[in-house]
Amino acid sequence: MYPRPVQKLIDLFVKFPGIGPRQASRFVFYILKNQEIAQELREALEELAGKVKFCSQCFRSVETETLGQVLCSLCLNPKRDPALIAVVEKESDMQNLEKTGAYSGLYHILGGLISPLDENSAKALHLREFFERVKKILQMKSRCEVILATSATSEGDLTAMYIERILTPLKNQYPGLILSRLGRGLSLGSELEYADEITLKNALLNRK
Amino acid sequence: MYPRPVQKLIDLFVKFPGIGPRQASRFVFYILKNQEIAQELREALEELAGKVKFCSQCFRSVETETLGQVLCSLCLNPKRDPALIAVVEKESDMQNLEKTGAYSGLYHILGGLISPLDENSAKALHLREFFERVKKILQMKSRCEVILATSATSEGDLTAMYIERILTPLKNQYPGLILSRLGRGLSLGSELEYADEITLKNALLNRK
Amino acid sequence: MYPRPVQKLIDLFVKFPGIGPRQASRFVFYILKNQEIAQELREALEELAGKVKFCSQCFRSVETETLGQVLCSLCLNPKRDPALIAVVEKESDMQNLEKTGAYSGLYHILGGLISPLDENSAKALHLREFFERVKKILQMKSRCEVILATSATSEGDLTAMYIERILTPLKNQYPGLILSRLGRGLSLGSELEYADEITLKNALLNRK
Amino acid sequence: MYPRPVQKLIDLFVKFPGIGPRQASRFVFYILKNQEIAQELREALEELAGKVKFCSQCFRSVETETLGQVLCSLCLNPKRDPALIAVVEKESDMQNLEKTGAYSGLYHILGGLISPLDENSAKALHLREFFERVKKILQMKSRCEVILATSATSEGDLTAMYIERILTPLKNQYPGLILSRLGRGLSLGSELEYADEITLKNALLNRK
């Protein structure tokens, strides 16, 4: 019942993560009421398309105008340990780990997680590039630590196990390859009364 | 820590109603991963800017390419009663009333509500146009029913009272001007145990 | 794994409306830690059993030490209209209606609602007594207004319809029997954008 | 407005953890409708008062009819390590740790946590008894591991720090006294995107 161009934009916003038809229509009427936003959005989208690429090593987004391959500022930073790699699902996870200030290595952004329901979900991830990256490090330095920093969800665990399996041949060849996962236990604010058994078991085993 | 064009688009999405920085960044990475969406968005925004205007009578959005004033399909519909007007806050409220199939009049979209905290909030609404619209109807037909169909919130009630005040001179002059408000009472699914006193009082008084 | 008397009390509290095992065990340990509460509880339960009966007319709880039938203070109040009866599900609904200060009649507490899934649910309600009560009023005064003040839920509506059906023979005989239901429409605080179709339709039809 | 015995019982239930007046009144009407529950409750409360005591070592509840001090089944179990003690806030926390099946030591139930707002909150806890218990173990076995198994909340952390301070003299004297806390990190199901900085930092540091 909305005009066609209004409905078209609603339909696009509905594709956004977490957006339903009601909020999508609020977006469109917000834009209709604020025409300068529409203009700024178009310019920002153009800039995004023209000036943002992905780091060829860790797949983080980078602002650049060069045509060839680029490396991001972290991958170029000599103070970061290139033989310590945290594998994460997405760029915002990387940002969250950076905020802790407790990490001095590099990252590898998978671009998603493996879904147990979608056989092809592994193919869309940057797994082959990761294997080659680790292999090259081991060939050069004979040591490499990989932190499987995926979420503590079933998809995150599945993805971590999958990566462990992929790296097995390298692990057999290079004893200097160390795999670890993020520590499990009580998260900030969690109460024993409401904690699940697996978390409590981890908290007991990982006590220190 | 995101590339500048990424951050710029995040900052724009944060202005959208109900969107925080986290969701805004998810939007941008969704777009980065789906470049065809970026292109479709830009086209849809362009079309929105070029082909959508507001009905000069009820302020609903209309698809048009004419340069002058336009009337929407409802305002042009001879089956609708032009002397029955539901005043609503926004276009989606109008759509919700239409979905009931229980309304045969026209609408007037205010474009917002009066805020008790913002003295200028009344100026941004299509109130002057509404006064003129009702006046013209009364001059021609000597009868007009106005349904103050604002939300049952303090801002909605304030706006309804404000409109009643604005229309007082017309009401004094034309006895055929009838003002009403949407019925108050129990909404679908509400239980007496959890209903507030005012709603229960309305439900008692409006029993039928 | 708890001591048997602890578990027994947990099992009893679990039967309480809205209480799960976790909260039930918190109750028991709260009592264990506060022994004076245990004593007060036992006394209060004894008093409840010994001194509280139900009004023989409206089925409200009454404090009394007489052995025979009792009438509650409302049913005895000469200022209340005995020919105006609000039929409610439970005593707290009655209390909520009283709080509005907008009602001058009496009540009839059903003691529950009819469940579409339980054929016998009607039998547990004070329906027969209600029929006799209304019949007697009509025989004496030839007028009686019944407000079917059940919740706006499917069970509440079903019960209201059921009572309407029960009263049909009386209605055919006595034109002075008036049946009404609580008004439907927007409840306090509800916004048009989130209102369901049926509530909006009621709000339109019941505008005033 | 309720009869005095009804209101009295409502007032008692309102003191229960997590119960407001509305739910308290539902409890009372539930009891009024189910008189056999009232009787069972009174008997269960009597049994609780007469047959439940607290273990004189770990302060767990025990069913007993002896008049003197009692020990619970866990404290009497020769398969449990008496020199490994998990200090917990309350009995249900102990039960949750037991459910993991990953713990072979004993417990010490504090009976609450220290509140930063209440200077006397420490006095209500079984801290003195804990100090004596640990001291006796060290005198006999010269080794003892204490797991400070309080929740990962500010009160839980404050209590754990307080206990560490209390045990400092023993720690200086007995190198065999080991203090640990439950492991911190990602809990089951937590996503990196929503994890707080402290949890992520712990997860990084406790990776394995």
Side-chain angles (χ1 to χ4, degrees), chain C residues 1-4 16-17 23 27 29 33 61 63 91 95 111, chain D residues 1-4 16-17 23 27 29 33 61 63 91 95 111:
Chain C
M1 250 162 30
Y2 290 119
R4 203 186 38 81
F16 278 37
Q23 204 167 9
F27 287 177
F29 286 106
K33 259 185 104 170
S61 63
E63 179 176 11
E91 193 161 338
Q95 299 278 9
Chain D
M1 253 164 30
Y2 289 118
R4 206 184 37 80
F16 276 38
Q23 205 170 5
F27 287 177
F29 286 107
K33 261 185 102 170
S61 62
E63 179 176 10
E91 193 162 336
Q95 300 277 11

PDB file of all heavy atoms in Angstrom, chain C residues 1-4 16-17 23 27 29 33 61 63 91 95 111, chain D residues 1-4 16-17 23 27 29 33 61 63 91 95 111:
ATOM      1  N   MET C   1      18.562 -34.268  45.984  1.00  0.00           N
ATOM      2  CA  MET C   1      19.798 -34.173  46.755  1.00  0.00           C
ATOM      3  C   MET C   1      19.609 -33.343  48.028  1.00  0.00           C
ATOM      4  O   MET C   1      20.480 -33.269  48.861  1.00  0.00           O
ATOM      5  CB  MET C   1      20.897 -33.562  45.909  1.00  0.00           C
ATOM      6  CG  MET C   1      21.944 -34.633  45.576  1.00  0.00           C
ATOM      7  SD  MET C   1      23.018 -34.242  44.200  1.00  0.00           S
ATOM      8  CE  MET C   1      23.142 -32.482  44.224  1.00  0.00           C
ATOM      9  N   TYR C   2      18.460 -32.664  48.118  1.00  0.00           N
ATOM     10  CA  TYR C   2      18.162 -31.924  49.343  1.00  0.00           C
ATOM     11  C   TYR C   2      17.588 -32.887  50.376  1.00  0.00           C
ATOM     12  O   TYR C   2      17.008 -33.926  50.009  1.00  0.00           O
ATOM     13  CB  TYR C   2      17.140 -30.819  49.056  1.00  0.00           C
ATOM     14  CG  TYR C   2      17.684 -29.689  48.216  1.00  0.00           C
ATOM     15  CD1 TYR C   2      17.142 -29.392  46.973  1.00  0.00           C
ATOM     16  CD2 TYR C   2      18.743 -28.896  48.678  1.00  0.00           C
ATOM     17  CE1 TYR C   2      17.638 -28.352  46.207  1.00  0.00           C
ATOM     18  CE2 TYR C   2      19.242 -27.861  47.913  1.00  0.00           C
ATOM     19  CZ  TYR C   2      18.683 -27.600  46.674  1.00  0.00           C
ATOM     20  OH  TYR C   2      19.180 -26.574  45.924  1.00  0.00           O
ATOM     21  N   PRO C   3      17.672 -32.561  51.676  1.00  0.00           N
ATOM     22  CA  PRO C   3      17.015 -33.388  52.698  1.00  0.00           C
ATOM     23  C   PRO C   3      15.527 -33.521  52.375  1.00  0.00           C
ATOM     24  O   PRO C   3      14.935 -32.595  51.816  1.00  0.00           O
ATOM     25  CB  PRO C   3      17.243 -32.599  53.987  1.00  0.00           C
ATOM     26  CG  PRO C   3      18.406 -31.724  53.727  1.00  0.00           C
ATOM     27  CD  PRO C   3      18.399 -31.430  52.263  1.00  0.00           C
ATOM     28  N   ARG C   4      14.950 -34.648  52.752  1.00  0.00           N
ATOM     29  CA  ARG C   4      13.572 -34.946  52.388  1.00  0.00           C
ATOM     30  C   ARG C   4      12.579 -33.846  52.782  1.00  0.00           C
ATOM     31  O   ARG C   4      11.755 -33.431  51.953  1.00  0.00           O
ATOM     32  CB  ARG C   4      13.177 -36.306  52.998  1.00  0.00           C
ATOM     33  CG  ARG C   4      12.028 -37.025  52.293  1.00  0.00           C
ATOM     34  CD  ARG C   4      11.643 -38.271  53.079  1.00  0.00           C
ATOM     35  NE  ARG C   4      11.731 -38.011  54.510  1.00  0.00           N
ATOM     36  CZ  ARG C   4      10.775 -37.381  55.219  1.00  0.00           C
ATOM     37  NH1 ARG C   4       9.658 -37.000  54.635  1.00  0.00           N
ATOM     38  NH2 ARG C   4      10.951 -37.165  56.508  1.00  0.00           N
ATOM     39  N   PHE C  16       2.604 -23.797  43.307  1.00  0.00           N
ATOM     40  CA  PHE C  16       2.076 -22.432  43.340  1.00  0.00           C
ATOM     41  C   PHE C  16       2.092 -21.820  41.941  1.00  0.00           C
ATOM     42  O   PHE C  16       2.982 -22.126  41.145  1.00  0.00           O
ATOM     43  CB  PHE C  16       2.924 -21.570  44.282  1.00  0.00           C
ATOM     44  CG  PHE C  16       2.565 -21.707  45.731  1.00  0.00           C
ATOM     45  CD1 PHE C  16       2.195 -22.921  46.274  1.00  0.00           C
ATOM     46  CD2 PHE C  16       2.582 -20.604  46.575  1.00  0.00           C
ATOM     47  CE1 PHE C  16       1.859 -23.052  47.615  1.00  0.00           C
ATOM     48  CE2 PHE C  16       2.247 -20.715  47.914  1.00  0.00           C
ATOM     49  CZ  PHE C  16       1.885 -21.938  48.436  1.00  0.00           C
ATOM     50  N   PRO C  17       1.142 -20.928  41.641  1.00  0.00           N
ATOM     51  CA  PRO C  17       1.111 -20.355  40.281  1.00  0.00           C
ATOM     52  C   PRO C  17       2.382 -19.561  39.963  1.00  0.00           C
ATOM     53  O   PRO C  17       2.773 -18.673  40.714  1.00  0.00           O
ATOM     54  CB  PRO C  17      -0.120 -19.446  40.307  1.00  0.00           C
ATOM     55  CG  PRO C  17      -0.470 -19.252  41.740  1.00  0.00           C
ATOM     56  CD  PRO C  17       0.044 -20.444  42.486  1.00  0.00           C
ATOM     57  N   GLN C  23      12.992 -21.167  42.070  1.00  0.00           N
ATOM     58  CA  GLN C  23      12.442 -20.201  43.015  1.00  0.00           C
ATOM     59  C   GLN C  23      11.882 -20.913  44.252  1.00  0.00           C
ATOM     60  O   GLN C  23      12.011 -20.430  45.370  1.00  0.00           O
ATOM     61  CB  GLN C  23      11.372 -19.331  42.348  1.00  0.00           C
ATOM     62  CG  GLN C  23      11.220 -18.000  43.089  1.00  0.00           C
ATOM     63  CD  GLN C  23      10.415 -16.985  42.308  1.00  0.00           C
ATOM     64  OE1 GLN C  23       9.831 -17.303  41.282  1.00  0.00           O
ATOM     65  NE2 GLN C  23      10.362 -15.765  42.811  1.00  0.00           N
ATOM     66  N   PHE C  27      12.704 -20.186  48.185  1.00  0.00           N
ATOM     67  CA  PHE C  27      11.706 -19.972  49.235  1.00  0.00           C
ATOM     68  C   PHE C  27      12.079 -20.793  50.478  1.00  0.00           C
ATOM     69  O   PHE C  27      12.087 -20.297  51.594  1.00  0.00           O
ATOM     70  CB  PHE C  27      10.316 -20.421  48.772  1.00  0.00           C
ATOM     71  CG  PHE C  27       9.665 -19.518  47.763  1.00  0.00           C
ATOM     72  CD1 PHE C  27       8.424 -19.847  47.215  1.00  0.00           C
ATOM     73  CD2 PHE C  27      10.266 -18.335  47.359  1.00  0.00           C
ATOM     74  CE1 PHE C  27       7.805 -19.017  46.285  1.00  0.00           C
ATOM     75  CE2 PHE C  27       9.647 -17.500  46.429  1.00  0.00           C
ATOM     76  CZ  PHE C  27       8.419 -17.854  45.902  1.00  0.00           C
ATOM     77  N   PHE C  29      14.914 -22.162  51.425  1.00  0.00           N
ATOM     78  CA  PHE C  29      16.119 -21.748  52.149  1.00  0.00           C
ATOM     79  C   PHE C  29      15.915 -20.392  52.832  1.00  0.00           C
ATOM     80  O   PHE C  29      16.494 -20.134  53.888  1.00  0.00           O
ATOM     81  CB  PHE C  29      17.340 -21.749  51.223  1.00  0.00           C
ATOM     82  CG  PHE C  29      17.787 -23.140  50.921  1.00  0.00           C
ATOM     83  CD1 PHE C  29      17.554 -23.720  49.680  1.00  0.00           C
ATOM     84  CD2 PHE C  29      18.394 -23.903  51.911  1.00  0.00           C
ATOM     85  CE1 PHE C  29      17.930 -25.028  49.426  1.00  0.00           C
ATOM     86  CE2 PHE C  29      18.772 -25.203  51.666  1.00  0.00           C
ATOM     87  CZ  PHE C  29      18.542 -25.778  50.429  1.00  0.00           C
ATOM     88  N   LYS C  33      16.431 -20.047  56.834  1.00  0.00           N
ATOM     89  CA  LYS C  33      17.280 -19.009  57.427  1.00  0.00           C
ATOM     90  C   LYS C  33      16.500 -18.096  58.365  1.00  0.00           C
ATOM     91  O   LYS C  33      17.070 -17.424  59.202  1.00  0.00           O
ATOM     92  CB  LYS C  33      17.884 -18.142  56.308  1.00  0.00           C
ATOM     93  CG  LYS C  33      19.325 -18.479  55.972  1.00  0.00           C
ATOM     94  CD  LYS C  33      19.876 -17.506  54.968  1.00  0.00           C
ATOM     95  CE  LYS C  33      20.801 -16.481  55.591  1.00  0.00           C
ATOM     96  NZ  LYS C  33      21.498 -15.698  54.547  1.00  0.00           N
ATOM     97  N   SER C  61     -13.874 -13.558  49.354  1.00  0.00           N
ATOM     98  CA  SER C  61     -13.433 -14.068  50.655  1.00  0.00           C
ATOM     99  C   SER C  61     -13.861 -13.100  51.753  1.00  0.00           C
ATOM    100  O   SER C  61     -13.870 -11.884  51.565  1.00  0.00           O
ATOM    101  CB  SER C  61     -11.916 -14.249  50.661  1.00  0.00           C
ATOM    102  OG  SER C  61     -11.269 -13.022  50.491  1.00  0.00           O
ATOM    103  N   GLU C  63     -13.719 -12.532  56.202  1.00  0.00           N
ATOM    104  CA  GLU C  63     -13.251 -12.991  57.501  1.00  0.00           C
ATOM    105  C   GLU C  63     -14.468 -13.189  58.406  1.00  0.00           C
ATOM    106  O   GLU C  63     -15.282 -12.265  58.567  1.00  0.00           O
ATOM    107  CB  GLU C  63     -12.316 -11.955  58.124  1.00  0.00           C
ATOM    108  CG  GLU C  63     -11.842 -12.401  59.502  1.00  0.00           C
ATOM    109  CD  GLU C  63     -10.839 -11.450  60.105  1.00  0.00           C
ATOM    110  OE1 GLU C  63     -10.666 -10.338  59.559  1.00  0.00           O
ATOM    111  OE2 GLU C  63     -10.235 -11.800  61.119  1.00  0.00           O
ATOM    112  N   GLU C  91     -11.046 -12.819  42.478  1.00  0.00           N
ATOM    113  CA  GLU C  91     -11.198 -11.745  43.455  1.00  0.00           C
ATOM    114  C   GLU C  91     -10.286 -10.553  43.170  1.00  0.00           C
ATOM    115  O   GLU C  91     -10.673  -9.397  43.383  1.00  0.00           O
ATOM    116  CB  GLU C  91     -10.929 -12.289  44.869  1.00  0.00           C
ATOM    117  CG  GLU C  91     -11.371 -11.324  45.935  1.00  0.00           C
ATOM    118  CD  GLU C  91     -11.540 -11.992  47.292  1.00  0.00           C
ATOM    119  OE1 GLU C  91     -11.729 -13.222  47.356  1.00  0.00           O
ATOM    120  OE2 GLU C  91     -11.480 -11.277  48.300  1.00  0.00           O
ATOM    121  N   GLN C  95     -11.034  -6.487  42.878  1.00  0.00           N
ATOM    122  CA  GLN C  95     -10.298  -5.437  43.588  1.00  0.00           C
ATOM    123  C   GLN C  95      -9.827  -4.363  42.606  1.00  0.00           C
ATOM    124  O   GLN C  95      -9.868  -3.165  42.902  1.00  0.00           O
ATOM    125  CB  GLN C  95      -9.075  -6.032  44.300  1.00  0.00           C
ATOM    126  CG  GLN C  95      -9.427  -7.082  45.333  1.00  0.00           C
ATOM    127  CD  GLN C  95      -9.845  -6.486  46.665  1.00  0.00           C
ATOM    128  OE1 GLN C  95     -10.029  -5.274  46.776  1.00  0.00           O
ATOM    129  NE2 GLN C  95     -10.012  -7.331  47.656  1.00  0.00           N
ATOM    130  N   GLY C 111     -14.608 -17.713  39.901  1.00  0.00           N
ATOM    131  CA  GLY C 111     -13.641 -18.681  40.409  1.00  0.00           C
ATOM    132  C   GLY C 111     -12.837 -19.328  39.298  1.00  0.00           C
ATOM    133  O   GLY C 111     -12.295 -20.420  39.468  1.00  0.00           O
TER     134      GLY C 111
ATOM    135  N   MET D   1      -8.089  -4.168  51.355  1.00  0.00           N
ATOM    136  CA  MET D   1      -9.460  -4.503  51.024  1.00  0.00           C
ATOM    137  C   MET D   1      -9.752  -6.000  51.145  1.00  0.00           C
ATOM    138  O   MET D   1     -10.899  -6.409  51.050  1.00  0.00           O
ATOM    139  CB  MET D   1      -9.781  -4.032  49.631  1.00  0.00           C
ATOM    140  CG  MET D   1     -10.706  -2.811  49.699  1.00  0.00           C
ATOM    141  SD  MET D   1     -10.819  -1.864  48.186  1.00  0.00           S
ATOM    142  CE  MET D   1     -10.563  -3.050  46.924  1.00  0.00           C
ATOM    143  N   TYR D   2      -8.666  -6.790  51.293  1.00  0.00           N
ATOM    144  CA  TYR D   2      -8.875  -8.222  51.489  1.00  0.00           C
ATOM    145  C   TYR D   2      -9.171  -8.482  52.972  1.00  0.00           C
ATOM    146  O   TYR D   2      -8.771  -7.703  53.831  1.00  0.00           O
ATOM    147  CB  TYR D   2      -7.623  -8.992  51.082  1.00  0.00           C
ATOM    148  CG  TYR D   2      -7.371  -9.001  49.585  1.00  0.00           C
ATOM    149  CD1 TYR D   2      -6.220  -8.432  49.057  1.00  0.00           C
ATOM    150  CD2 TYR D   2      -8.273  -9.589  48.705  1.00  0.00           C
ATOM    151  CE1 TYR D   2      -5.979  -8.437  47.684  1.00  0.00           C
ATOM    152  CE2 TYR D   2      -8.035  -9.597  47.337  1.00  0.00           C
ATOM    153  CZ  TYR D   2      -6.883  -9.018  46.831  1.00  0.00           C
ATOM    154  OH  TYR D   2      -6.655  -9.030  45.490  1.00  0.00           O
ATOM    155  N   PRO D   3      -9.819  -9.588  53.316  1.00  0.00           N
ATOM    156  CA  PRO D   3     -10.005  -9.940  54.729  1.00  0.00           C
ATOM    157  C   PRO D   3      -8.642  -9.987  55.428  1.00  0.00           C
ATOM    158  O   PRO D   3      -7.633 -10.339  54.808  1.00  0.00           O
ATOM    159  CB  PRO D   3     -10.639 -11.328  54.668  1.00  0.00           C
ATOM    160  CG  PRO D   3     -11.251 -11.425  53.312  1.00  0.00           C
ATOM    161  CD  PRO D   3     -10.439 -10.564  52.411  1.00  0.00           C
ATOM    162  N   ARG D   4      -8.634  -9.661  56.727  1.00  0.00           N
ATOM    163  CA  ARG D   4      -7.378  -9.556  57.466  1.00  0.00           C
ATOM    164  C   ARG D   4      -6.505 -10.812  57.369  1.00  0.00           C
ATOM    165  O   ARG D   4      -5.298 -10.691  57.074  1.00  0.00           O
ATOM    166  CB  ARG D   4      -7.686  -9.216  58.930  1.00  0.00           C
ATOM    167  CG  ARG D   4      -6.592  -8.500  59.683  1.00  0.00           C
ATOM    168  CD  ARG D   4      -6.995  -8.320  61.123  1.00  0.00           C
ATOM    169  NE  ARG D   4      -7.726  -9.497  61.590  1.00  0.00           N
ATOM    170  CZ  ARG D   4      -7.153 -10.646  61.982  1.00  0.00           C
ATOM    171  NH1 ARG D   4      -5.842 -10.746  62.018  1.00  0.00           N
ATOM    172  NH2 ARG D   4      -7.880 -11.661  62.371  1.00  0.00           N
ATOM    173  N   PHE D  16       9.038 -13.072  50.690  1.00  0.00           N
ATOM    174  CA  PHE D  16       9.788 -14.131  50.007  1.00  0.00           C
ATOM    175  C   PHE D  16      10.624 -13.522  48.880  1.00  0.00           C
ATOM    176  O   PHE D  16      10.230 -12.528  48.263  1.00  0.00           O
ATOM    177  CB  PHE D  16       8.808 -15.155  49.406  1.00  0.00           C
ATOM    178  CG  PHE D  16       8.344 -16.194  50.383  1.00  0.00           C
ATOM    179  CD1 PHE D  16       8.075 -15.867  51.700  1.00  0.00           C
ATOM    180  CD2 PHE D  16       8.176 -17.519  49.997  1.00  0.00           C
ATOM    181  CE1 PHE D  16       7.634 -16.825  52.608  1.00  0.00           C
ATOM    182  CE2 PHE D  16       7.744 -18.485  50.887  1.00  0.00           C
ATOM    183  CZ  PHE D  16       7.471 -18.136  52.190  1.00  0.00           C
ATOM    184  N   PRO D  17      11.776 -14.126  48.583  1.00  0.00           N
ATOM    185  CA  PRO D  17      12.639 -13.538  47.542  1.00  0.00           C
ATOM    186  C   PRO D  17      11.960 -13.511  46.176  1.00  0.00           C
ATOM    187  O   PRO D  17      11.475 -14.537  45.709  1.00  0.00           O
ATOM    188  CB  PRO D  17      13.870 -14.453  47.536  1.00  0.00           C
ATOM    189  CG  PRO D  17      13.468 -15.702  48.259  1.00  0.00           C
ATOM    190  CD  PRO D  17      12.388 -15.310  49.214  1.00  0.00           C
ATOM    191  N   GLN D  23       1.743 -11.347  42.942  1.00  0.00           N
ATOM    192  CA  GLN D  23       1.940 -12.795  42.976  1.00  0.00           C
ATOM    193  C   GLN D  23       1.612 -13.351  44.370  1.00  0.00           C
ATOM    194  O   GLN D  23       1.046 -14.442  44.486  1.00  0.00           O
ATOM    195  CB  GLN D  23       3.380 -13.145  42.575  1.00  0.00           C
ATOM    196  CG  GLN D  23       3.460 -14.572  42.022  1.00  0.00           C
ATOM    197  CD  GLN D  23       4.789 -14.893  41.386  1.00  0.00           C
ATOM    198  OE1 GLN D  23       5.718 -14.109  41.422  1.00  0.00           O
ATOM    199  NE2 GLN D  23       4.881 -16.075  40.783  1.00  0.00           N
ATOM    200  N   PHE D  27      -0.886 -16.428  45.317  1.00  0.00           N
ATOM    201  CA  PHE D  27      -0.562 -17.573  46.179  1.00  0.00           C
ATOM    202  C   PHE D  27      -1.702 -17.816  47.172  1.00  0.00           C
ATOM    203  O   PHE D  27      -2.160 -18.945  47.350  1.00  0.00           O
ATOM    204  CB  PHE D  27       0.715 -17.289  46.986  1.00  0.00           C
ATOM    205  CG  PHE D  27       1.987 -17.328  46.189  1.00  0.00           C
ATOM    206  CD1 PHE D  27       3.210 -17.023  46.795  1.00  0.00           C
ATOM    207  CD2 PHE D  27       1.991 -17.658  44.838  1.00  0.00           C
ATOM    208  CE1 PHE D  27       4.384 -17.063  46.082  1.00  0.00           C
ATOM    209  CE2 PHE D  27       3.172 -17.692  44.110  1.00  0.00           C
ATOM    210  CZ  PHE D  27       4.373 -17.392  44.744  1.00  0.00           C
ATOM    211  N   PHE D  29      -4.854 -16.914  47.155  1.00  0.00           N
ATOM    212  CA  PHE D  29      -6.112 -17.404  46.589  1.00  0.00           C
ATOM    213  C   PHE D  29      -5.965 -18.825  46.066  1.00  0.00           C
ATOM    214  O   PHE D  29      -6.916 -19.605  46.096  1.00  0.00           O
ATOM    215  CB  PHE D  29      -6.651 -16.445  45.520  1.00  0.00           C
ATOM    216  CG  PHE D  29      -7.216 -15.204  46.143  1.00  0.00           C
ATOM    217  CD1 PHE D  29      -6.562 -13.999  46.055  1.00  0.00           C
ATOM    218  CD2 PHE D  29      -8.381 -15.266  46.886  1.00  0.00           C
ATOM    219  CE1 PHE D  29      -7.062 -12.861  46.678  1.00  0.00           C
ATOM    220  CE2 PHE D  29      -8.900 -14.147  47.511  1.00  0.00           C
ATOM    221  CZ  PHE D  29      -8.238 -12.939  47.401  1.00  0.00           C
ATOM    222  N   LYS D  33      -8.349 -21.786  47.462  1.00  0.00           N
ATOM    223  CA  LYS D  33      -9.096 -22.681  46.583  1.00  0.00           C
ATOM    224  C   LYS D  33      -8.709 -24.139  46.785  1.00  0.00           C
ATOM    225  O   LYS D  33      -9.451 -25.037  46.415  1.00  0.00           O
ATOM    226  CB  LYS D  33      -8.836 -22.319  45.113  1.00  0.00           C
ATOM    227  CG  LYS D  33      -9.922 -21.483  44.476  1.00  0.00           C
ATOM    228  CD  LYS D  33      -9.638 -21.275  43.026  1.00  0.00           C
ATOM    229  CE  LYS D  33     -10.457 -22.152  42.112  1.00  0.00           C
ATOM    230  NZ  LYS D  33     -10.306 -21.716  40.703  1.00  0.00           N
ATOM    231  N   SER D  61      22.082 -28.146  54.686  1.00  0.00           N
ATOM    232  CA  SER D  61      20.927 -28.627  55.460  1.00  0.00           C
ATOM    233  C   SER D  61      20.937 -30.156  55.522  1.00  0.00           C
ATOM    234  O   SER D  61      21.327 -30.824  54.561  1.00  0.00           O
ATOM    235  CB  SER D  61      19.626 -28.124  54.826  1.00  0.00           C
ATOM    236  OG  SER D  61      19.484 -28.630  53.518  1.00  0.00           O
ATOM    237  N   GLU D  63      18.696 -33.664  57.155  1.00  0.00           N
ATOM    238  CA  GLU D  63      17.540 -34.181  57.871  1.00  0.00           C
ATOM    239  C   GLU D  63      18.028 -35.008  59.056  1.00  0.00           C
ATOM    240  O   GLU D  63      18.841 -35.915  58.899  1.00  0.00           O
ATOM    241  CB  GLU D  63      16.703 -35.069  56.954  1.00  0.00           C
ATOM    242  CG  GLU D  63      15.500 -35.633  57.701  1.00  0.00           C
ATOM    243  CD  GLU D  63      14.596 -36.442  56.789  1.00  0.00           C
ATOM    244  OE1 GLU D  63      14.984 -36.718  55.649  1.00  0.00           O
ATOM    245  OE2 GLU D  63      13.483 -36.780  57.235  1.00  0.00           O
ATOM    246  N   GLU D  91      23.417 -23.021  49.419  1.00  0.00           N
ATOM    247  CA  GLU D  91      23.316 -24.459  49.201  1.00  0.00           C
ATOM    248  C   GLU D  91      23.003 -24.819  47.743  1.00  0.00           C
ATOM    249  O   GLU D  91      23.494 -25.813  47.229  1.00  0.00           O
ATOM    250  CB  GLU D  91      22.249 -25.050  50.133  1.00  0.00           C
ATOM    251  CG  GLU D  91      22.303 -26.566  50.186  1.00  0.00           C
ATOM    252  CD  GLU D  91      21.561 -27.123  51.411  1.00  0.00           C
ATOM    253  OE1 GLU D  91      21.419 -26.394  52.414  1.00  0.00           O
ATOM    254  OE2 GLU D  91      21.141 -28.282  51.359  1.00  0.00           O
ATOM    255  N   GLN D  95      24.775 -27.438  45.089  1.00  0.00           N
ATOM    256  CA  GLN D  95      24.071 -28.455  44.294  1.00  0.00           C
ATOM    257  C   GLN D  95      24.447 -28.345  42.827  1.00  0.00           C
ATOM    258  O   GLN D  95      24.622 -29.353  42.133  1.00  0.00           O
ATOM    259  CB  GLN D  95      22.543 -28.291  44.440  1.00  0.00           C
ATOM    260  CG  GLN D  95      22.058 -28.421  45.867  1.00  0.00           C
ATOM    261  CD  GLN D  95      21.874 -29.857  46.295  1.00  0.00           C
ATOM    262  OE1 GLN D  95      22.289 -30.772  45.599  1.00  0.00           O
ATOM    263  NE2 GLN D  95      21.279 -30.052  47.460  1.00  0.00           N
ATOM    264  N   GLY D 111      26.454 -18.869  53.498  1.00  0.00           N
ATOM    265  CA  GLY D 111      25.159 -18.354  53.946  1.00  0.00           C
ATOM    266  C   GLY D 111      24.922 -16.936  53.473  1.00  0.00           C
ATOM    267  O   GLY D 111      24.135 -16.193  54.064  1.00  0.00           O
TER     268      GLY D 111
END
